[in-house]
Amino acid sequence: NLILIPGICFISSIIVQASSTASSKQQTRISIVPTASLNINLSETEHISIVACCAAINAEKTKAYSVLESMANDVATLSTKASWETIQSALKIKGQTDVSVDASGKCSGCNRSLLSLELNDIQREQLLNQIDSLVVHQELLQVIPDNNTPLAPDAIRRSNQWKVFKSWLHQRQAEDGPIDFVIDGANVGYFKQNYAGAPDHVDFHNIDSVLQHCLSAYLPRRKSMATSQPSTSVQTKFRNRVLIILHARHLAEDRMPYYAHEIVKRWRSQKQIYSCAIKNNDDWYWLYAAVAAGDNCYLVSNDEMRDHHFDMLGQDSFLNWKERHLTKFDFGPFQRHGSRPVDLSLPPPFSIRMQRAIDNPDIWHVPVQFNLSGQDSNALSLAAPQINQSIIIQRPDITQVAWLCLGCCPVADEKEEAGNT
């Protein structure tokens, strides 16, 4: 009875063994159903075994597509080109191997632009609701309490302060438009200040440098499932819309350095900063603001968000969002006038993962990531069971990714092939 399958290890052994014997192929095709209902993600090896079974039993194309879509949810990039042949066999569609995808996401095989795979409206709303619930309850709790659980006084206070923030955020975006950059002020302000004798206040010059850079930064166009054309709004604005989130303790009069007062005054006059109150976790504020801003907002922070409270968010949606929006930063050497150049590592305008074309369901793009020696690398697969590894954002170097453009070369009918021989 498949309902009694206890866990991923047992499922894995069944799938791999079944794929090696033709008599078990039909059973394996059915065995993919309970994995989703049990909320169990499979690795690349297990997914490829299922794909091989589809090919062996000559499964209909719609079933093979369903299997590939399930694989795309669990595995970002493949670790070996050998999987390409298995996928083509299962779908009965040939493709062009080793096609190039340029920095804008355009495929040389089909001339289509790859998509930025974003959260849909339901996933975004669920993630925002999860953040909502965690804000008003103690982060030490390992589960989100039931809605009937009475709130402690501190939780009531945080809840009221949180409502003020959400109202302010909604009003700001209604008046000025969606935010393009959210800056984790403390993370930027404490950049490389963990040395002996370092000041206990944030570096307001560093924060302001990042702000000024973001205001004028060029934002690459993205093409997502929600629109068949990349957004052009970022090309017509005079300046980007930027928001700094900084905890109130950093803005206390007795803690701010003398030079910071004029900087903060300017931020406030232009609605470029929000300070969360004492005993609030500023992480939730910048995360909520960045998620709520939509598909074209970037979160500027070197924080990998690996603390225990981030583990309480839905992993699939959260990790997908983080991969597409977390933007790392760095500073160059000091210039003569005292400023420092800012380097932002924006995510590419497309997702480096398996994906299906919007306009043609028969066209897939399947990436394989290589190590620095140019060889297939099993260790680089971002399979879901490697949760601890996948939490860290390690975007592949575009030059180290090979692509299969599947669907450009349909397989000729067997009768036609026989007649031509």
Side-chain angles (χ1 to χ4, degrees):
N1 189 338
L2 290 176
I3 297 178
L4 299 180
I5 291 177
I8 186 64
C9 293
F10 190 61
I11 291 177
S12 174
S13 62
I14 290 178
I15 291 174
V16 175
Q17 291 178 24
S19 66
S20 63
T21 54
S23 61
S24 300
K25 298 297 191 295
Q26 185 66 25
Q27 294 175 352
T28 306
R29 182 176 61 166
I30 299 173
S31 72
I32 66 173
V33 176
T35 61
S37 61
L38 291 173
N39 196 28
I40 295 177
N41 296 322
L42 302 181
S43 70
E44 176 184 342
T45 300
E46 292 138 6
H47 275 294
I48 287 297
S49 295
I50 297 176
V51 172
C53 291
C54 288
I57 65 174
N58 199 29
E60 63 273 16
K61 186 182 293 186
T62 55
K63 185 65 177 180
Y65 279 166
S66 176
V67 169
L68 200 58
E69 286 175 345
S70 177
M71 181 176 178
N73 289 332
D74 290 348
V75 184
T77 60
L78 302 184
S79 60
T80 172
K81 288 184 178 180
S83 300
W84 281 350
E85 184 176 346
T86 304
I87 293 173
Q88 293 183 80
S89 177
L91 298 184
K92 308 176 187 66
I93 297 177
K94 287 186 178 180
Q96 298 182 46
T97 58
D98 288 317
V99 299
S100 62
V101 175
D102 64 22
S104 69
K106 198 166 193 176
C107 172
S108 64
C110 64
N111 208 34
R112 288 175 170 80
S113 293
L114 272 66
L115 305 175
S116 176
L117 301 179
E118 304 287 348
L119 301 182
N120 59 39
D121 291 342
I122 295 176
Q123 292 170 328
R124 187 181 306 280
E125 190 65 26
Q126 288 175 341
L127 184 55
L128 291 173
N129 288 339
Q130 287 178 327
I131 300 172
D132 252 330
S133 298
L134 290 170
V135 165
V136 297
H137 294 92
Q138 293 292 340
E139 286 90 353
L140 294 178
L141 294 175
Q142 296 303 306
V143 295
I144 298 176
D146 186 274
N147 288 333
N148 296 323
T149 303
L151 297 179
D154 280 351
I156 295 176
R157 173 184 49 77
R158 285 198 301 271
S159 178
N160 291 334
Q161 293 166 339
W162 180 249
K163 290 177 182 177
V164 171
F165 164 68
K166 290 201 300 180
S167 176
W168 180 91
L169 183 66
H170 175 77
Q171 183 65 26
R172 184 192 188 282
Q173 295 199 112
E175 295 175 355
D176 302 331
I179 297 170
D180 299 300
F181 286 97
V182 174
I183 299 175
D184 177 1
N187 187 264
V188 174
Y190 281 128
F191 180 75
K192 292 187 177 180
Q193 286 194 187
N194 57 347
Y195 56 88
D200 61 355
H201 60 76
V202 297
D203 189 323
F204 288 87
H205 284 313
N206 277 355
I207 300 174
D208 195 52
S209 294
V210 172
L211 168 67
Q212 300 305 320
H213 182 88
C214 290
L215 285 171
S216 59
Y218 172 80
L219 297 181
R221 300 182 179 186
R222 286 184 171 189
K223 182 178 178 182
S224 66
M225 295 294 289
T227 175
S228 59
Q229 297 295 328
S231 172
T232 58
S233 60
V234 297
Q235 307 300 319
T236 58
K237 297 194 307 294
F238 177 69
R239 296 212 303 178
N240 297 317
R241 295 171 285 256
V242 185
L243 175 64
I244 301 168
I245 299 293
L246 194 60
H247 200 281
R249 68 175 178 271
H250 300 298
L251 302 173
E253 291 292 327
D254 60 348
R255 188 169 185 178
M256 291 171 58
Y258 71 93
Y259 69 84
H261 292 82
E262 286 300 318
I263 295 177
V264 174
K265 182 180 179 180
R266 168 166 47 84
W267 292 348
R268 284 174 169 159
S269 68
Q270 299 183 21
K271 295 184 292 185
Q272 293 170 336
I273 185 173
Y274 190 93
S275 59
C276 63
I278 301 297
K279 294 188 177 180
N280 279 263
N281 188 337
D282 58 331
D283 290 1
W284 297 132
Y285 283 72
W286 49 252
L287 178 60
Y288 188 93
V291 174
D295 293 347
N296 293 310
C297 179
Y298 298 91
L299 170 64
V300 181
S301 178
N302 287 338
D303 189 338
E304 281 289 353
M305 294 173 268
R306 288 175 287 173
D307 294 341
H308 69 277
H309 49 252
F310 289 112
D311 291 338
M312 299 166 69
L313 299 173
Q315 285 295 301
D316 289 342
S317 295
F318 175 56
L319 293 177
N320 180 43
W321 177 87
K322 188 169 73 165
E323 190 275 328
R324 297 305 305 139
H325 297 271
L326 180 60
T327 300
K328 301 295 187 68
F329 68 91
D330 199 356
F331 292 97
F334 283 100
Q335 306 297 309
R336 286 186 177 180
H337 52 278
S339 65
R340 303 176 69 184
V342 176
D343 178 32
L344 293 184
S345 298
L346 290 168
F350 63 97
S351 297
I352 304 179
R353 63 182 305 140
M354 296 174 59
Q355 52 180 279
R356 198 173 185 176
I358 293 180
D359 62 330
N360 189 335
D362 288 335
I363 293 182
W364 286 78
H365 291 92
V366 185
V368 170
Q369 186 178 351
F370 297 94
N371 57 28
L372 294 179
S373 65
Q375 303 298 315
D376 294 0
S377 177
N378 291 319
L380 291 175
S381 176
L382 301 182
Q386 301 171 347
I387 290 295
N388 290 333
Q389 180 180 357
S390 66
I391 287 177
I392 302 176
I393 296 301
Q394 296 175 329
R395 296 189 183 96
D397 182 344
I398 296 177
T399 62
Q400 298 297 320
V401 178
W403 291 87
L404 163 68
C405 182
L406 187 64
C408 296
C409 308
V411 176
D413 185 80
E414 291 183 1
K415 293 182 179 180
E416 292 181 359
E417 290 184 349
N420 293 330
T421 57

